[in-house]
Amino acid sequence: MGSTLLEVRNLKKHFPSTAGWVKAVDGIDLKIEKGKSFGLVGESGCGKSTLIRVMLKLLEPTAGQIFFDGQEITGYSFKEMRALRKEMGMVFEDPHLALNPRMTVFDIISRPLKIHGLARKKGDLTVQVVELLQSMGLQTEHMIRFPHELSGGQKQRIGVARALAVEPQLIFLDEPTSALDVSVQTKILKLLEKARQERDLTFFFISHDINLIRVVADIMGVMYLGKIVEIGPKELLLDDPHHPYTRGLFSAVPEPDPDHSITEIQLTGEVPSPVNPPPGCNFNPRCPHADDRCRVEEPEFRELADGRRVACHLY
Amino acid sequence: MRIEDLQVAFSTEEGPVEALDGVELTIHQGTFHGLIGETGCGKSVTGQTIMGLLDNNARIKKGRIMYREQDLLKLSSRQMERQIRGNEIAMIFQDPGSSLNPLFTIKNQIEEAIKMYRPVPRERREGLILEALQQVKLPDARNLMHRYPHQLSGGMKQRVMIAMMLACNPRLLIADEPTTALDVSIQAQFIKVLKDLKDNLDLTILYITHDLAVISELCDYVSVMYAGRIVENLSMYDLFRDPCHPYTEKLVNSVLGVSTRLDQLEEIPGSVPRLINPPPGCRFHPRCSEVLPVCSQEVPLLKEVKGLHSVACHRR
């Protein structure tokens, strides 16, 4: 058991809207161990992107606590967060939007180094940038290029190099491959995994793509309507998903295998609005096992004997 | 439908882009035919060319699109509009939101389509609309048809598009990435609807996608495109079990979900070439691990391997 790097307790983020409070993140408890790769899956609108933005304190939490490396950072000011930004990097979904089109690759990657004062001499900076480019399978000559001269896969590798530049402990990856073609996505994933092992990094992936999380995560979490419904070691969840939503979600994933086909539709209907989530267990209107208790009483996020945690009255 | 030696070029500021360079493909009646490839390979352009919906800067240089004994490329835009588009061949797009008019109800829009393409008396129209909405498993169709597009979710809108198409009773449907904008659980519902339609109606679909997992759920035959050319035509089963072209093989092995282990996934070096200046010979040769001297000089032609399986590679 490693030590906990990131922990959140009962974290909430509600947004005001004309229809009422949008409960985008509604009571998340989570612990990420150092050196692990955590993958959170959920469908669009479930709050996964909001969650990481709150954990990075890019958005102020409505309630709850955030701990990083043993320190509570919930009340940190913008200025106090600045030093911590070095420890938490981020890679965005769309590499075409995440890179400033008017900066060269050198500027893009060296900027965080300058901001955090991690390079003293100009020569040092160049060496560091070249090393980062090489670790991402790119060449020195890419340094003087602009983003529009690069392919999507190369841009995303620049995005990763920029995140790695300040040697963070934790990197958030928001759908890092969904804007890329299949033939280049494996390369990014392999480079990421190599970097994680070499630098002893902790990864926090979020994606709607279960097949991606299956490949990259050690620990897997499933999010539905602002809450985590099930979390545990990847093999455990994949082999024997417990929560009815997890089961339904996994069964809906088409597999690239001619001998496999989606036989039964377990998830019917659509995700309800996070403005007025259903009372009790918020999955109850779509759940095949829902009974009276599920409609009134919210299930506890319980730890089971096998080490997973699940929020369902069945367990 | 049979597409023969189709060549389409776009004129751009940087020069001509050979988007399609000799596309050959046959779609058999009653089958679901997948057209797969990565961004910019020309799969969407192929769909647009069939429908006669190319942009103004596009030019069809060569080729034929034979549909029921006539060449669609020889028809005037008026003939395409009247005789083909909508009532013979229909198309649905990736983003259902932008395909529906936000100012009209679902009923209005489907009715409009029926008026244009299907000569039925006014009284029968409502029945047809209801029937079509029920065929795509939309709940409470009677009320739903009076709603506006913004009141429906993405998955429902995409099903409305299918219903609109069914109401016009076309023989061939071209679906361009119809599930890309949808969540997995909604995608699964959509796939189920298409599968049921396949079993119950004599529908032919050209399904354009980059998602091999969806192909494996739906399609009978597949054409693999790379940089403006078809590199392989084969059955869905052969796609996963016996691919011949090195690109097809690598593509299949790079799909997440083929394996849950990263080290078993294949990567293809380099990136997809830009079509403004494509590599000579076989367009895949700079990324190919089995390259021969001839590959950079001569364009490989599609050769039959067995039955309906053909491949364009000098090695095979």
Side-chain angles (χ1 to χ4, degrees):
Chain A
M1 273 291 186
S3 59
T4 304
L5 184 62
L6 180 76
E7 182 178 358
V8 298
R9 292 188 197 148
N10 197 26
L11 194 69
K12 291 183 182 180
K13 177 68 193 176
H14 297 175
F15 295 102
S17 82
T18 47
W21 289 93
V22 178
K23 294 171 180 153
V25 171
D26 201 24
I28 299 273
D29 287 297
L30 195 61
K31 263 187 197 172
I32 311 292
E33 272 173 46
K34 215 172 251 183
K36 292 278 186 204
S37 174
F38 176 71
L40 185 62
V41 286
E43 298 183 274
S44 53
C46 74
K48 55 192 189 303
S49 293
T50 306
L51 174 65
I52 59 173
R53 278 163 181 79
V54 175
M55 291 194 291
L56 274 163
K57 298 254 300 162
L58 297 172
L59 291 168
E60 280 301 312
T62 308
Q65 291 169 295
I66 311 165
F67 299 85
F68 182 79
D69 214 3
Q71 282 173 52
E72 182 170 359
I73 61 166
T74 325
Y76 271 28
S77 66
F78 188 77
K79 226 172 157 181
E80 286 169 302
M81 271 312 286
R82 203 155 182 178
L84 262 184
R85 297 256 178 257
K86 197 188 95 46
E87 305 300 333
M88 296 191 260
M90 174 134 181
V91 176
F92 298 91
E93 171 173 4
D94 190 342
H96 311 287
L97 295 175
L99 305 180
N100 187 334
R102 304 186 59 170
M103 282 161 81
T104 61
V105 168
F106 175 81
D107 290 336
I108 290 169
I109 298 178
S110 63
R111 190 122 192 255
L113 291 166
K114 286 185 194 157
I115 289 173
H116 292 286
L118 294 172
R120 284 156 301 276
K121 293 184 302 244
K122 176 120 185 160
D124 267 10
L125 207 56
T126 316
V127 172
Q128 278 166 294
V129 172
V130 170
E131 277 171 11
L132 283 160
L133 283 173
Q134 280 167 352
S135 74
M136 283 293 116
L138 295 161
Q139 280 90 46
T140 315
E141 73 225 39
H142 286 115
M143 231 162 55
I144 48 166
R145 303 266 179 89
F146 284 94
H148 75 265
E149 297 172 280
L150 305 171
S151 69
Q154 288 172 331
K155 276 190 241 189
Q156 193 60 301
R157 284 187 263 161
I158 303 291
V160 176
R162 172 175 65 182
L164 292 174
V166 293
E167 293 174 13
Q169 296 189 57
L170 173 66
I171 297 186
F172 291 97
L173 301 113
D174 187 352
E175 307 269 11
T177 57
S178 66
L180 305 178
D181 277 316
V182 253
S183 72
V184 293
Q185 92 190 347
T186 315
K187 176 138 194 126
I188 295 275
L189 296 177
K190 286 187 176 169
L191 287 166
L192 279 168
E193 186 54 29
K194 194 164 149 257
R196 183 168 78 97
Q197 287 178 359
E198 282 171 7
R199 295 158 188 254
D200 197 22
L201 289 163
T202 308
F203 280 166
F204 192 122
F205 282 94
I206 59 171
S207 181
H208 68 279
D209 186 349
I210 291 128
N211 285 331
L212 169 71
I213 300 297
R214 277 212 305 213
V215 171
V216 297
D218 307 319
I219 314 286
M220 189 165 178
V222 180
M223 193 164 173
Y224 181 76
L225 213 58
K227 293 180 199 295
I228 291 183
V229 297
E230 187 164 3
I231 199 167
K234 170 176 75 174
E235 291 76 19
L236 220 52
L237 258 69
L238 289 172
D239 293 346
D240 182 21
H242 276 19
H243 196 284
Y245 177 67
T246 315
R247 268 188 255 158
L249 188 67
F250 289 0
S251 76
V253 180
E255 284 191 35
D257 179 349
D259 295 323
H260 172 276
S261 91
I262 299 173
T263 41
E264 187 193 350
I265 300 293
Q266 294 187 10
L267 273 184
T268 51
E270 311 215 347
V271 184
S273 153
V275 177
N276 258 320
C281 168
N282 63 18
F283 185 60
N284 82 68
R286 299 176 77 190
C287 183
H289 310 286
D291 57 21
D292 291 341
R293 187 176 169 207
C294 302
R295 287 178 201 102
V296 287
E297 191 189 322
E298 195 183 323
E300 206 187 308
F301 196 36
R302 220 174 277 113
E303 183 159 349
L304 306 186
D306 59 10
R308 82 175 87 201
R309 296 178 80 186
V310 60
C312 179
H313 290 305
L314 288 176
Y315 302 98
Chain B
M1 169 171 288
R2 204 170 65 245
I3 301 177
E4 294 168 4
D5 197 21
L6 185 64
Q7 296 189 13
V8 175
F10 288 88
S11 54
T12 66
E13 282 177 19
E14 293 172 72
V17 173
E18 312 263 332
L20 301 184
D21 188 30
V23 168
E24 306 263 352
L25 122 104
T26 307
I27 306 165
H28 300 279
Q29 180 158 358
T31 61
F32 280 20
H33 194 107
L35 183 58
I36 56 175
E38 300 179 274
T39 320
C41 72
K43 56 192 192 302
S44 292
V45 175
T46 306
Q48 287 163 6
T49 314
I50 297 171
M51 293 298 281
L53 292 173
L54 285 172
D55 286 342
N56 287 334
N57 63 345
R59 201 165 61 87
I60 298 165
K61 287 166 64 181
K62 214 178 149 188
R64 297 200 297 173
I65 300 178
M66 298 307 291
Y67 174 73
R68 292 162 54 87
E69 311 299 311
Q70 56 178 338
D71 184 356
L72 295 185
L73 297 178
K74 291 221 168 72
L75 297 180
S76 68
S77 56
R78 198 179 156 81
Q79 281 172 315
M80 274 303 283
E81 171 101 44
R82 292 232 161 150
Q83 295 166 15
I84 303 293
R85 218 180 288 141
N87 49 354
E88 286 286 337
I89 309 176
M91 187 160 183
I92 54 171
F93 299 91
Q94 178 171 352
D95 180 7
S98 57
S99 303
L100 290 166
N101 187 329
L103 298 177
F104 292 97
T105 62
I106 301 308
K107 182 179 173 226
N108 288 152
Q109 303 196 40
I110 301 181
E111 195 168 13
E112 190 67 30
I114 296 175
K115 261 196 254 175
M116 256 179 105
Y117 299 120
R118 210 170 166 183
V120 291
R122 182 187 289 264
E123 319 77 74
R124 276 198 54 210
R125 280 188 209 140
E126 186 156 328
L128 280 178
I129 298 172
L130 270 176
E131 193 190 317
L133 290 173
Q134 280 154 2
Q135 268 176 334
V136 296
K137 310 263 160 58
L138 279 165
D140 197 15
R142 206 166 282 279
N143 287 317
L144 187 117
M145 66 181 182
H146 297 293
R147 300 229 203 126
Y148 289 89
H150 76 268
Q151 294 169 303
L152 308 181
S153 69
M156 288 164 102
K157 277 187 255 189
Q158 201 58 290
R159 280 190 263 174
V160 167
M161 290 307 297
I162 297 273
M164 188 184 292
M165 177 275 314
L166 289 176
C168 300
N169 203 19
R171 284 171 210 269
L172 172 65
L173 171 69
I174 299 174
D176 190 355
E177 303 265 10
T179 62
T180 309
L182 306 179
D183 271 322
V184 268
S185 65
I186 309 300
Q187 172 175 284
Q189 294 172 15
F190 184 83
I191 289 174
K192 185 87 175 44
V193 165
L194 285 184
K195 275 187 182 168
D196 289 349
L197 289 177
K198 185 183 181 179
D199 294 341
N200 301 327
L201 305 171
D202 184 32
L203 189 65
T204 311
I205 294 192
L206 177 63
Y207 199 100
I208 302 173
T209 185
H210 66 277
D211 190 338
L212 273 75
V214 174
I215 291 278
S216 90
E217 287 289 332
L218 279 173
C219 294
D220 309 298
Y221 293 98
V222 182
S223 296
V224 184
M225 263 189 113
Y226 185 77
R229 293 192 191 132
I230 303 279
V231 296
E232 192 161 8
N233 289 309
L234 70 180
S235 71
M236 188 274 283
Y237 198 83
D238 282 347
L239 173 70
F240 292 99
R241 295 288 182 259
D242 190 19
C244 277
H245 198 283
Y247 174 64
T248 315
E249 213 173 293
K250 289 227 160 63
L251 187 71
V252 169
N253 289 330
S254 69
V255 176
L256 297 169
V258 163
S259 167
T260 56
R261 285 182 47 198
L262 191 53
D263 54 5
Q264 287 175 350
L265 289 174
E266 192 129 16
E267 53 182 276
I268 309 182
S271 55
V272 181
R274 299 188 57 209
L275 293 177
I276 198 131
N277 191 9
C282 170
R283 290 184 172 177
F284 185 62
H285 86 262
R287 303 175 75 189
C288 186
S289 54
E290 302 171 51
V291 70
L292 296 170
V294 66
C295 296
S296 55
Q297 282 145 24
E298 261 176 63
V299 178
L301 298 172
L302 279 168
K303 290 187 291 272
E304 198 169 284
V305 184
K306 59 170 187 202
L308 293 163
H309 191 164
S310 57
V311 61
C313 178
H314 291 302
R315 275 257 181 214
R316 317 289 159 179

